């Protein structure tokens, strides 16, 4: 009971998180362990069953099958080939895969090497080292087709099942594209063929197979799995392949319930789930339940043989070319669902009766819309199967609507089905079963396709809409490329030594090395490197006053790491940078990170959800992400949730996220962060000390290496001056740059000139001298007298504040002493406001006129100094 | 007829010169060094693709915008520069926040998210778009961009100073070459920049100080009044210019100019004075005289509040005098109508011979008129509940202004004048 309640709560919360209908997937092994390793406590299997709870479908994926694996981007699951399946000691299901990569996964700049257009369905045989090929089995979505082609070959035109079939022509090893080696080619071909062979054999041996479904069913019920049947798997793969939207569905589900990792836990929930389905499915479902019970009690009318024929049809997976009659079209996916429900119930009674019975029911009653006749007083046995009716019914309605459209598609279905169709028909004839299996298969198809389309529309409206650029509307520049026009005339290269020096001294010039930060560089490098190698996450906080080379050092570290990754010395990683100052709002950080990682453009809230999902689930093919957060203090919000999330993600087990946070203040975590944020940030901190004069000198001279433009003493003077003031390397470089300009101005003839002490001194004076003294000296006479009057008034009153009226009296008195005509009040007010605009004075709003209060914006001594010199 | 056309031209040329201060056609005075510095800076930006940032600082009317316009005009005439520079002009009074400023930048750069005059996308998208665009560029291939931020001090008050941070950051990194020129009159501008913004600013400051002396001032005066050589009627221009030369040597004119120079060195006040003088020139008054300038100077320097007093009634003058006495007695403390009325009553009862004893409501009316003229100002906003008689007020006139105004006041009764001179005279 408690469990139920919990489950209700849980499903309720799911409903909030995303309003899509959730379907649970259960992963179970197919067959018994092939072999096990005692030491590692692993056991290997040859296939895995994926059971979807909501749609009652079961999929079996075998070794060698091609599969889709959940990826970063829900719309673009990864393509892979299943190589191995095993369960480890902790009961976790694992799969080992051979990856294929899509065009989108290849870096933009390297795509050019292909020199041809790539269709969306083409993938590359992935030989990039460093991807984890060991994935959690739960991330498998479904099986697909990957067909190897020769380089020159055209892609076969296929209208149906486009999303299920991929083609591979070349391989990609992270640096270049290669034609598939004959070995790989044949292996891939082989993998496809085995599928084909299975299908063929199962069909050919229909007589012998007659009994197998029964056996198989019982087997799966008891989970003994002594004799795994290929047929079964085929059914599943067929089902799954027809469900194109499965991945999305799963994706949303994943997002919601990533807490449930272990299949066992999920299974438990499944068993309790009827409560939920009842609540959701309302009338239909209840009817369905009743229906089931009727079925169960109804006398057997049809033999198991008939049933089997149906299975074989499913097995064959051949979409029939024969137009079918409507009334039969609804027997649908029963077979698969039965398997599933069997497993779920773990009930020992034979299903055969049930099946046939149901079949009959379906055949007879399908066209009757009201199921009221089935009402009975029996208390419904709660089974997961109960949803079947509802599924049937809704899907049937849709099927009717679009069956016309689909019919055409089926005619052009995959080649294998063509060849098989004739045999199939013969089989049917032999059996003289009233209903032709083709119809069923067909309706099956019809049903599933519309369902999927509907689901995708309902489930992921935001995503699909967002992803498609509005090409139809040219007015909105959605696809505008950010670009500044090119210049028309070429830039001039530096002609003289001074120009060359100036170019090198520009802050933007990237030096070959970063002198004086070797220690910090090494620390950061080691930190990131170790995390990269471990495949874990972590945070580092870097502080220091502006212009001490924090960002430059971090960028240098990243550059070196990228170099190392390119040389295969380190696992590859993604590098994302955000800057608090370059965001309009702290929450935009999510949007930018997500856009960097996946290219999706979503709102901030949605991005936060997606990122949280991304970093909390084990992404099989995901590289480690190195995230630089510059100007961290600007990500501060009232609730600090942005900072909290940023520092919480690296602590998650699967995040593979390394954060380098940069800010100015050393005690930022203590000062502005809440405890829980600061605690997640951890204690890995580093602070960049301001440069000493020796370091500054080294920085300048390393940049000027080989250019004889500065006197040694001049550089030293600048370094000492800047080190004494701020230790800001930018300032130091700016002064030197200015000094070269002054030197250029001073030099009249074309003689080569060095930057000397005099030039540097002038540049320093220009940058650091207080502008006030000069401003006062160049003020008009009455402005100076006004300042004197202020000083006099301050001295008289002993307060550093006076009204204009008081100052005016002093002003008039001073003018009399100097023998000048005294100004009118209006003129005095004008003087006052002029000085106020320059901020030599601080003045109140001018509406107070004579009573406006005035203060000096600099010390009285400065004013006296400036005025006395005259 | 011919003469009339000449005067039309004189007025047109000189008025344009006096009104369009920023116009690059005029001349620059006393800022050759700054001009060279700025020109060289911008030339390097365009020719070498060097990023820079600079502030032009100087008091109002010192010619900051004029300097920049001159530099830009000369820059555009250089062959290596033509069509090679994108300009973005922003004004702190117009772009009051980063959102507006960003849209304006995007619009002026005509990036691809601009259709017509509309900029698409949200604030965040625009910022990301612009930064991405600028980041993509590099020194050698992208067209340099000049950002001119007029009223730079107002940009400092934008949230987080993120626009300034980004502009300065681009100018200090290897992206699209960018030069940021800020124009401001505040001397303390650097103290307003946030530390990381300040660190990214190159600390290049170009100061304009009006640092010329009186001799140069006279030269400027001559220069501003002279007619150009291309004036259609050459003999007339000759005559006019000779007269200007005469004026500049005239003692009276020099006195006028000296007085103005002492008050304010900026050229705008000179222009204002000359404008007043030139307006007097007509066919019947062919040449500018010293008297014209003196008259203009008088108009220029009159006290506005004292002018208002001249138009008051005797009763209102009496009230002002009463307030002046109250100010003297209570040392500038605020007063209310009742106090003023009592003071006025004392005067009427003991001293006045010519004044009629007005009733209180009449006096109140006069008092309210003074309030409306803003010769007195309430200390706080008048509320509906407080009685108007007891509203505390302050006089916005200085006693010297009142005495001066009384001297000039036509037909002022003698007893009022005496009362004004001393509040104790009635004793």
């Amino acid at each position: 009971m408690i469990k139920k309640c919990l489950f209700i709560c849980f499903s309720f919360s799911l409903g909030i998180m995303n309003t899509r209908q959730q379907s649970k997937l259960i992963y179970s092994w197919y067959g018994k362990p092939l072999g096990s390793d005692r030491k590692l406590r692993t056991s290997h299997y040859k296939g895995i069953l994926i059971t979807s709870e909501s749609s009652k479908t079961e999929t079996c994926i075998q070794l060698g099958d091609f599969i889709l694996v959940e990826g970063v981007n829900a719309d673009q699951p990864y393509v892979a080939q299943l190589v191995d399946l095993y369960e480890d000691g902790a009961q976790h299901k694992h799969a080992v895969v051979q990856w294929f990569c899509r065009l989108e996964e290849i870096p933009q700049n390297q795509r050019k090497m292909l020199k041809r257009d790539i269709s969306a369905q083409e993938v590359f045989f992935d030989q990039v080292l460093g991807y984890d090929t060991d994935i959690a089995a739960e991330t498998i979505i479904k099986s697909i087709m990957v067909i190897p082609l020769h380089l020159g070959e055209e892609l076969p035109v296929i209208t149906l099942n486009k999303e299920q079939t991929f083609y591979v022509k070349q391989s990609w090893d992270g640096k270049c594209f290669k034609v598939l080696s004959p070995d790989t080619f044949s292996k891939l071909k082989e993998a496809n063929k085995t599928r084909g062979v299975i299908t063929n054999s199962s069909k050919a041996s229909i007589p012998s197979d007659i009994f197998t479904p029964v056996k198989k069913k019982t087997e799966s019920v008891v989970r003994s799995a002594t004799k795994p049947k290929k047929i079964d798997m085929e059914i599943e793969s067929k089902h799954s392949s027809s469900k194109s939207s499965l991945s999305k569905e799963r994706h949303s589900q994943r997002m919601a319930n990533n807490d449930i990792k272990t299949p066992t836990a999920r299974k438990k929930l499944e068993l309790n789930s009827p409560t939920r389905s009842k609540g959701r499915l309302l009338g239909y479902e209840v009817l369905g339940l009743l229906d089931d019970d009727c079925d169960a009690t109804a006398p057997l009318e049809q033999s198991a043989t008939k049933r089997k024929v149906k299975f074989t049809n499913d097995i064959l997976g051949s979409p029939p070319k024969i137009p079918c009659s409507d009334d039969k079209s609804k027997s649908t996916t029963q077979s698969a669902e039965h398997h599933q429900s069997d497993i779920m119930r773990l009930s020992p009674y034979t299903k055969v009766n049930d099946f046939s019975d149901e079949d009959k029911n379906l055949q007879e009653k399908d066209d009757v819309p009201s199921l009221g006749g089935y009402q009975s007083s029996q208390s419904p046995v709660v089974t997961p199967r109960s949803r079947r009716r509802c599924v049937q019914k809704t899907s049937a309605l849709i099927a009717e609507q679009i069956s016309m459209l689909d019919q055409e598609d089926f005619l052009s279905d995959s080649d294998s089905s063509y060849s098989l169709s004739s045999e199939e028909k013969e089989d049917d004839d032999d059996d003289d079963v009233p209903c032709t299996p083709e119809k069923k298969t067909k309706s099956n198809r019809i049903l599933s396709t519309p369902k999927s389309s509907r689901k995708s529309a309902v489930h992921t409206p935001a995503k699909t809409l967002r992803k498609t650029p509005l090409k139809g509307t040219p007015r909105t520049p959605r696809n505008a490329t950010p670009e500044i026009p090119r210049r028309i005339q070429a830039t001039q290269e530096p002609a003289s030594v001074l120009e060359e020096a100036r170019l090198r001294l520009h802050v933007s010039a990237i030096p070959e090395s970063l002198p004086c930060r070797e220690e910090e560089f090494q620390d950061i490098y080691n930190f990131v490197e170790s995390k990269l190698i471990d495949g874990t996450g972590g945070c580092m906080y870097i502080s220091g006053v502006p212009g001490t080379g924090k960002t430059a050092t971090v960028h240098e570290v990243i550059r070196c790491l990228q170099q190392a990754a390119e040389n295969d010395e380190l696992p590859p990683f993604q590098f994302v940078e955000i800057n608090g100052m370059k965001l309009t709002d702290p929450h935009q950080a999510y949007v930018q990170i997500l856009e960097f990682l996946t290219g999706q453009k979503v709102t901030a809230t949605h991005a936060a959800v997606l990122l949280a999902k991304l970093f909390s689930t084990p992404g099989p093919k995901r590289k480690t992400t190195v995230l630089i957060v510059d100007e961290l203090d600007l990500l501060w919000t009232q609730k600090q949730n942005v900072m909290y999330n940023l520092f919480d993600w690296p602590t998650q087990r699967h995040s593979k996220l390394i954060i380098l946070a940069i800010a100015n203040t050393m005690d930022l975590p203590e000062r502005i962060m809440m405890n829980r944020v600061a605690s997640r940030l951890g204690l890995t901190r580093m602070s960049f000390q301001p440069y000493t004069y020796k370091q500054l000198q080294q920085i300048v001279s390393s940049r000027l290496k080989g250019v004889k433009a500065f006197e040694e003493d001049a550089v030293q003077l600048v370094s000492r001056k800047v080190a004494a003031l701020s230790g800001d390397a930018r300032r130091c470089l700016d002064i030197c740059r200015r000094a070269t300009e002054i030197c250029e101005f001073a030099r009249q003839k074309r003689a080569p000139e060095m930057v000397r002490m005099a030039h540097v001194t002038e540049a320093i004076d220009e940058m650091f001298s207080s502008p006030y003294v000069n401003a006062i000296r160049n003020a008009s006479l009455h402005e100076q007298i006004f300042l004197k009057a202020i000083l006099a008034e301050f001295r008289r009153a002993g307060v550093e504040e006076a009204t204009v009226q008081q100052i005016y009296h002093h002003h008039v008195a001073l003018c009399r002493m100097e023998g000048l005509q005294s100004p009118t009040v209006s003129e005095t007010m004008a003087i006052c406001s002029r000085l106020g605009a320059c901020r030599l004075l601080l003045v109140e709003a001018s509406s107070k006129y004579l009573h406006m209060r005035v203060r000096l914006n600099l010390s009285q001594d400065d004013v006296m100094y400036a005025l006395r010199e005259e | 007829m011919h003469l009339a056309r000449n005067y039309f031209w004189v007025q047109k040329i000189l008025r344009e010169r006096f009104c369009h201060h920023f116009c690059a056609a005029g001349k620059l005075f006393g800022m050759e060094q700054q001009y060279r510095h700025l020109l060289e800076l911008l030339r390097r930006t365009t020719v070498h693709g060097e990023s820079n940032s600079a502030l032009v600082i100087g008091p109002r009317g010192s010619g900051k915008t004029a300097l920049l316009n001159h530099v830009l005009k000369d820059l555009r005439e250089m062959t290596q520069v033509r069509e090679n520079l994108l300009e973005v002009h922003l004004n702190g009074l117009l772009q009051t926040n980063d959102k507006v400023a960003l849209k304006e930048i995007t619009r002026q750069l005509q990036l691809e998210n601009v259709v017509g005059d509309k900029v698409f996308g949200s604030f965040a998208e625009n910022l990301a778009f612009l930064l991405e665009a600028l980041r993509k560029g590099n020194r050698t291939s992208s067209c340099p961009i000049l950002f001119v931020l007029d009223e730079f001090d107002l940009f400092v008050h934008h949230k987080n100073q993120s626009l300034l941070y980004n502009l300065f950051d681009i100018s200090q990194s290897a992206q699209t070459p960018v030069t940021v020129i800020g124009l401001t009159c505040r001397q303390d501008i650097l103290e307003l920049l946030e530390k990381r913004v300040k660190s990214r600013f190159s600390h290049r400051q170009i100061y304009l100080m009006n640092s010329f002396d009186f001799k140069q001032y006279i030269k400027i005066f001559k220069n501003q009044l002279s007619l150009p050589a291309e004036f259609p009627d050459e003999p007339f221009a000759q005559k006019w210019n000779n007269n200007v030369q005469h004026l500049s040597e005239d003692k009276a004119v020099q006195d006028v100019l000296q007085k103005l120079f002492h008050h304010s060195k900026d050229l705008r006040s000179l222009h204002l004075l000359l404008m007043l003088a030139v307006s007097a020139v007509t066919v019947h008054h062919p040449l500018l005289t010293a008297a014209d300038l003196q008259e203009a100077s008088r108009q220029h320097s009159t006290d506005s509040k004292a002018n208002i007093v001249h138009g008051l009634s005797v009763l209102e003058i009496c009230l002002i005098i009463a307030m002046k006495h109250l100010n003297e007695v209570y040392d500038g403390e605020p007063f209310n109508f009742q106090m003023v009325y009592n003071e006025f009553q004392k005067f009427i009862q003991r001293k006045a011979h010519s004044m009629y004893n007005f009733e209180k409501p009449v006096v109140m009316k006069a008092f309210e008129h003074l309030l409306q003229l803003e010769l007195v100002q309430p200390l706080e906003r008048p509320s509906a509940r407080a009685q108007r008689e007891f509203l505390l007020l302050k006089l916005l006139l200085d006693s010297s202004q009142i005495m001066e105004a009384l001297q000039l006041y036509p037909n002022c009764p003698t007893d009022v004048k005496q009362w004004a001179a001393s509040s104790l005279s009635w004793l």
Side-chain angles (χ1 to χ4, degrees), chain A residues 46-57:
Chain A
K46 63 182 289 186
I48 189 162
L49 283 169
I50 305 173
T51 316
S52 165
E53 205 259 336
S54 64
S55 56
K56 303 280 175 205
T57 51

Side-chain angles (χ1 to χ4, degrees), chain B residues 60-211:
Chain B
R60 296 215 180 274
S62 57
K64 301 178 291 291
T65 313
L67 172 69
L68 185 76
N69 286 343
H70 269 271
V71 168
L72 285 178
K73 186 180 131 241
D74 294 351
L75 198 70
R76 288 187 202 113
E77 284 164 7
M78 290 184 193
T79 46
Q80 324 117 286
V81 173
R82 198 169 296 137
E83 307 286 313
N84 231 353
L85 181 70
L86 295 169
E87 287 174 35
V88 177
H89 292 266
L90 302 176
N91 191 315
L93 292 168
L94 297 176
Q95 281 78 42
T96 48
N97 60 38
D98 282 354
K99 190 176 174 182
V100 182
L102 214 60
K103 286 213 164 183
E104 184 63 18
I105 292 172
T106 321
R107 196 185 65 74
Q108 291 192 20
L109 285 177
Q110 285 293 318
L111 296 182
E112 283 188 31
N113 57 349
V114 179
V115 172
D117 263 357
K118 282 244 167 70
V119 179
F120 283 90
S122 67
F123 180 28
E125 281 167 14
N126 284 338
L127 180 66
F129 189 86
L130 183 67
L131 290 177
E132 180 61 29
L134 291 168
R135 184 165 51 235
K136 271 189 179 173
N138 62 27
R139 189 178 70 84
T140 47
S141 68
S142 304
C143 195
I145 304 172
L146 170 68
F147 288 94
V148 177
L149 307 183
D150 211 345
E151 307 292 346
F152 183 82
D153 44 319
L154 297 177
F155 286 98
V156 164
H157 300 301
H158 292 184
K159 192 186 161 218
N160 288 341
Q161 302 187 354
S162 55
L163 180 76
L164 296 182
Y165 176 93
N166 284 314
L167 289 182
F168 286 145
D169 194 53
I170 294 158
S171 82
Q172 298 247 316
S173 50
Q175 303 181 1
T176 304
V178 153
T179 289
V180 185
I181 306 285
L183 307 179
T184 181
C185 61
R186 288 184 67 162
Q187 305 284 346
D188 61 344
I189 186 71
L190 285 184
E191 292 157 35
L192 299 177
L193 293 176
E194 215 208 330
K195 57 183 186 305
R196 48 196 153 197
V197 180
K198 194 176 171 183
S199 167
R200 281 166 174 79
F201 169 57
S202 74
H203 279 62
R204 231 174 255 273
Q205 300 147 67
I206 299 171
Y207 287 101
L208 296 178
M209 289 297 183
N210 290 327
S211 52

Side-chain angles (χ1 to χ4, degrees), chain A residues 487 489 506 730-731 741, chain B residues 44 46 80 199 201 204:
Chain A
R487 59 184 297 147
Q489 298 171 8
H506 199 281
R730 290 194 187 109
R731 194 74 327 99
E741 286 169 26
Chain B
R44 281 206 312 275
T46 47
Q80 324 117 286
S199 167
F201 169 57
R204 231 174 255 273

Side-chain angles (χ1 to χ4, degrees), chain A residues 805 851, chain B residues 316 318-344 367-368 370-371 374-380 387-398 402:
Chain A
Q805 193 168 19
H851 305 289
Chain B
E316 285 157 350
C318 288
L319 289 180
I320 285 183
I321 293 168
M323 288 179 221
K324 171 180 172 273
H325 289 325
L326 283 173
N327 259 347
E328 276 159 17
V329 172
Y330 296 107
D331 195 24
E333 289 296 303
F335 49 83
N336 60 31
F337 170 72
Q338 198 57 49
M339 291 162 77
V340 175
Y341 185 68
N342 288 345
E343 193 73 20
F344 177 63
F367 188 79
E368 275 175 0
L370 293 179
L371 202 63
E374 290 203 330
L375 292 174
V376 285
Q377 197 177 39
L379 279 189
E380 63 234 21
Q387 278 182 290
R388 279 179 300 176
E389 292 94 322
F390 304 109
L391 192 67
L392 285 178
L393 302 147
K394 274 195 160 185
L395 181 63
L396 290 187
L397 287 168
D398 192 59
I402 298 167

Side-chain angles (χ1 to χ4, degrees), chain A residues 41 174 249 277 321 669 679 719 797:
Chain A
R41 295 172 62 206
E249 200 179 318
S277 49
K321 283 104 245 160
S679 134
S719 312

Side-chain angles (χ1 to χ4, degrees), chain A residues 123-174:
Chain A
V123 291
F124 299 93
F125 190 76
D126 199 330
Q127 294 179 316
V128 181
L129 298 169
Y131 283 137
D132 195 0
T133 54
D134 191 332
I135 62 170
E138 282 81 7
T139 56
I140 297 172
I141 298 170
K142 59 179 177 180
S143 72
I144 43 146
M145 296 275 284
V146 177
I147 300 169
L149 293 174
H150 291 290
L151 188 54
E153 252 178 292
E154 284 289 312
L155 300 189
V157 183
I158 294 181
T159 44
L160 180 75
N161 261 347
K162 235 184 153 189
E163 288 167 30
Q164 313 306 322
T165 321
F166 293 90
Y167 303 95
V168 58
K169 285 180 174 177
Q170 282 171 302
S171 69
W172 164 249
D173 65 357

Side-chain angles (χ1 to χ4, degrees), chain A residues 288-484:
Chain A
L289 280 173
L290 295 172
D291 190 15
D292 286 344
D293 291 318
C294 290
D295 292 348
T297 50
L300 316 181
E301 285 182 23
Q302 280 178 302
S303 67
T305 351
K306 285 175 200 164
R307 196 55 226 181
K308 250 155 260 153
V309 177
K310 274 177 222 153
F311 274 115
T312 47
N313 279 315
D314 277 341
I315 291 157
L316 299 170
S318 55
K321 283 104 245 160
I322 310 152
C324 64
S325 59
D326 276 340
D327 57 337
K328 302 281 169 58
S329 66
K330 278 148 206 159
S331 44
T332 69
T333 59
Q334 288 311 312
S335 50
E337 281 163 15
H338 279 289
H339 288 288
Q340 186 189 353
S341 50
D342 288 344
I343 295 164
M344 306 296 303
R345 278 194 201 167
L346 303 172
S347 55
Y349 68 91
T350 51
K351 280 285 121 179
V352 188
N353 304 341
D354 196 7
F355 279 169
S356 54
D357 187 29
E358 194 144 55
D359 253 356
K360 183 205 72 185
N361 276 335
L362 289 169
Q363 283 157 19
E364 288 170 2
K365 309 272 180 178
D366 263 346
D367 288 338
V368 184
S370 88
L371 298 163
Y374 282 97
Q375 278 171 358
S376 76
S377 56
Q378 278 177 325
S379 67
V381 181
V382 211
T383 63
R385 191 161 48 132
S386 56
R387 210 181 284 170
R388 184 178 43 190
R389 269 287 164 190
C390 149
V391 173
Q392 278 169 17
K393 198 153 184 217
T394 46
S395 52
L397 286 172
I398 295 161
E400 271 168 37
Q401 286 170 355
I402 57 161
S403 58
M404 296 306 284
L405 293 170
D406 277 299
Q407 215 134 340
E408 287 170 22
D409 287 345
F410 289 125
L411 292 175
S412 59
D413 204 353
S414 59
D415 355 6
S416 62
S417 57
Y418 276 100
S419 61
L420 296 173
S421 58
S422 57
E423 282 180 26
E424 230 176 310
K425 250 195 258 172
E426 285 168 21
D427 293 337
D428 292 335
D429 292 343
D430 293 343
D431 278 340
D432 26 78
V433 184
C435 67
T436 53
E438 287 91 335
K439 283 164 202 159
K440 271 170 229 151
T441 2
K442 158 141 201 197
S443 54
N444 186 354
R445 282 276 169 140
I446 294 169
L447 285 173
S448 49
T449 12
K451 191 163 54 171
S452 66
S453 67
R454 180 201 59 181
K455 264 187 186 159
S456 65
V458 174
H459 282 211
T460 56
K463 231 178 277 168
T464 39
L465 284 178
R466 227 164 250 287
K467 284 293 279 184
T468 51
L470 304 169
K471 276 183 188 129
T473 52
R475 267 192 57 77
T476 50
R478 273 254 167 246
N479 306 317
T481 46
E483 201 175 16
I484 298 291

Side-chain angles (χ1 to χ4, degrees), chain A residues 604-776:
Chain A
T605 22
H606 191 196
V609 175
L610 289 179
L611 281 174
K613 187 248 157 191
L614 181 67
F615 289 123
S616 58
T617 48
K621 209 176 176 182
R622 216 178 70 225
K623 299 176 194 167
T624 304
T625 307
V626 179
L627 174 63
I628 295 183
V629 185
D630 214 342
E631 314 294 358
L632 176 72
D633 49 332
L634 284 165
L635 294 185
W636 188 88
T637 52
Q638 193 60 48
K639 290 168 103 182
Q640 306 196 359
N641 41 7
V642 178
M643 285 206 232
Y644 177 85
N645 277 337
L646 277 181
F647 298 130
D648 190 39
W649 292 331
T651 60
Q652 314 239 351
R653 199 159 66 86
H654 302 291
S655 64
K656 288 185 164 186
L657 177 67
I658 304 166
I659 290 186
L660 301 173
I662 304 175
N664 289 139
T665 35
M666 196 154 72
D667 57 344
L668 187 81
E670 285 73 32
R671 226 155 30 92
I672 69 165
M673 290 187 196
M674 292 176 191
N675 287 337
R676 58 196 168 103
V677 180
S679 134
R680 277 169 175 78
L681 174 56
L683 291 168
T684 321
R685 304 218 183 144
M686 163 169 293
S687 107
F688 279 61
Q689 296 304 319
Y691 288 111
T692 62
Y693 85 91
K694 276 192 178 151
Q695 289 174 321
L696 288 173
Q697 204 176 338
Q698 200 187 331
I699 288 169
V700 174
S701 41
S702 81
R703 285 191 179 226
L704 287 174
K705 205 173 281 167
V707 178
K708 200 88 186 85
F710 272 74
E711 273 183 1
E712 198 63 24
D713 288 351
V715 176
Q716 189 174 353
L717 177 70
V718 177
S719 312
R720 279 186 186 272
K721 191 81 188 175
V722 172
L725 281 166
S726 59
D728 187 337
R730 290 194 187 109
R731 194 74 327 99
C732 189
L733 294 171
D734 281 334
I735 291 173
C736 291
R737 212 152 55 87
R738 178 70 189 132
T740 62
E741 286 169 26
I742 292 168
C743 177
E744 217 166 54
F745 272 129
R747 157 188 85 149
Q748 290 308 317
K749 12 182 201 355
R750 285 273 144 203
E753 173 90 46
M754 291 257 289
V755 179
R756 296 182 196 290
M757 289 291 262
H759 303 133
V760 169
T761 322
E762 197 186 329
I764 290 173
D765 283 348
E766 214 175 71
M767 287 197 182
F768 292 117
S769 69
S770 158
Y772 295 114
V773 172
N774 235 330
I776 292 173

